[in-house]
Amino acid sequence: MSTLGQIGDLLQLVPVQRAGVGLLLGALGLPVVGVVIVGLDIMPVRFAMMHVALLGIAIGQLVGLDPVLCALVACGLAGAGVAPLARTAEGLSGAMGLLMSLAIAAALLMLALSGVNANGAFALLWGSILAVGPADLVVLGVLAAAVPALFLWSRRDLALLLHDRELAMCSGVAVQRLTVVLLVLVAVAVAGAIRLTGALLVDALTLLPALAARRLGRSLVSITLWAIGIGVAVNVAGFLISLAWDLPPGPVLVLAAGAVALAAHLVPERRTSSWRTSVSSSAPSPQSPH
């Protein structure tokens, strides 16, 4: 059987179709979340939310609820709860470190005291793309619609916040409220990607497309569009490659996204210009009454 014929046969299977739809939906929202992660300089958020997701999974297994749903709720609450600690950009990273330590300790303690099979909890962190169900598609669909919509609706405020928190405050941006919204979106998005690639490989859907897009885009809008485009291309190509050669999709997606990010950073510096320059020039002066 030819490679194309093998891919065609596999695409007839419902689990494979759901996985493909999930990756396409994820490509519309998750890379934009990566733009937020890079802009706020909160790289540890992925690890923090991975640990919070493990706590949610442990709770779900203990009480008999859907572990992934519990992980979503736990990550959303954690994102909102850590926002008051994010007074400064440095505070965001510190808050994530604190959250990561507390979450993993609570998760391990709960698993030990409850007698729940820890292997099942940790297995979900590695992802199972063919286990994507209708509920997972709903979550990814909501993210695919809500995240780009937020960027279009508040792109000026977001550009200022991602550029400079103090400048955003002086320009009248509701920094604290917007930070809460962004952290909740980031947290839920990381949890939503668990089923696709696993929390340990979530960078393939979030961070790597955003890193490449930041190199190629000249404004927040163009960076966002680049991130979505790269996400779609990487997800489709990686998924088809994994089907054609019977490879695990998660690592293939990471390698494909990493290759694109590396290629983007090989573009000569003189061919790109920082979007931060345009944001600074268009923002009101800190001395402005606004």
Side-chain angles (χ1 to χ4, degrees), residues 200-289:
L200 300 177
L201 300 178
V202 72
D203 287 352
L205 302 181
T206 55
L207 188 62
L208 294 179
L211 289 174
R214 266 176 68 106
R215 182 71 176 181
L216 301 173
R218 301 192 177 192
S219 67
L220 183 60
V221 173
S222 65
I223 289 174
T224 302
L225 293 177
W226 269 109
I228 293 174
I230 292 170
V232 171
V234 165
N235 285 4
V236 171
F239 187 53
L240 292 179
I241 290 173
S242 67
L243 291 180
W245 281 279
D246 192 23
L247 299 171
V252 173
L253 290 171
V254 172
L255 291 174
V260 172
L262 179 60
H265 279 75
L266 293 178
V267 175
E269 184 75 24
R270 57 185 175 83
R271 294 186 57 185
T272 62
S273 62
S274 174
W275 65 277
R276 295 180 182 274
T277 304
S278 61
V279 171
S280 297
S281 61
S282 62
S285 171
Q287 287 77 31
S288 168

Side-chain angles (χ1 to χ4, degrees), residues 15-282:
V16 176
Q17 293 173 359
R18 287 178 177 168
V21 172
L23 285 173
L24 285 177
L25 290 175
L28 297 178
L30 297 177
V32 186
V33 170
V35 174
V36 175
I37 294 175
V38 175
L40 290 178
D41 193 19
I42 49 172
M43 302 300 181
V45 70
R46 300 116 61 216
F47 305 109
M49 292 307 153
M50 178 186 73
H51 291 79
V52 173
L54 178 60
L55 175 59
I57 290 169
I59 294 174
Q61 290 191 332
L62 178 63
V63 301
L65 297 176
D66 182 358
V68 176
L69 176 61
C70 291
L72 283 169
V73 174
C75 287
L77 293 175
V82 80
L85 301 177
R87 302 295 183 185
T88 63
E90 293 78 11
L92 281 170
S93 296
M96 290 301 169
L98 174 63
L99 180 63
M100 179 168 52
S101 300
L102 295 177
I104 189 61
L108 293 177
L109 182 61
M110 180 172 296
L111 288 172
L113 294 178
S114 65
V116 173
N117 184 3
N119 291 332
F122 280 99
L124 285 174
L125 293 181
W126 293 99
S128 179
I129 193 170
L130 295 180
V132 171
D136 301 302
L137 295 181
V138 170
V139 172
L140 292 169
V142 171
L143 289 171
V147 176
L150 174 64
F151 264 63
L152 291 176
W153 179 55
S154 305
R155 59 182 178 274
R156 174 189 171 275
D157 291 351
L158 285 168
L160 286 170
L161 176 59
L162 297 181
H163 168 55
D164 188 295
R165 183 184 180 90
E166 296 300 323
L167 179 60
M169 293 179 67
C170 294
S171 302
V173 177
V175 169
Q176 190 63 27
R177 182 176 62 189
L178 188 56
T179 301
V180 172
V181 172
L182 291 178
L183 288 177
V184 171
L185 278 178
V186 168
V188 172
V190 171
I194 288 177
R195 190 78 81 179
L196 290 177
T197 62
L200 300 177
L201 300 178
V202 72
D203 287 352
L205 302 181
T206 55
L207 188 62
L208 294 179
L211 289 174
R214 266 176 68 106
R215 182 71 176 181
L216 301 173
R218 301 192 177 192
S219 67
L220 183 60
V221 173
S222 65
I223 289 174
T224 302
L225 293 177
W226 269 109
I228 293 174
I230 292 170
V232 171
V234 165
N235 285 4
V236 171
F239 187 53
L240 292 179
I241 290 173
S242 67
L243 291 180
W245 281 279
D246 192 23
L247 299 171
V252 173
L253 290 171
V254 172
L255 291 174
V260 172
L262 179 60
H265 279 75
L266 293 178
V267 175
E269 184 75 24
R270 57 185 175 83
R271 294 186 57 185
T272 62
S273 62
S274 174
W275 65 277
R276 295 180 182 274
T277 304
S278 61
V279 171
S280 297
S281 61
S282 62

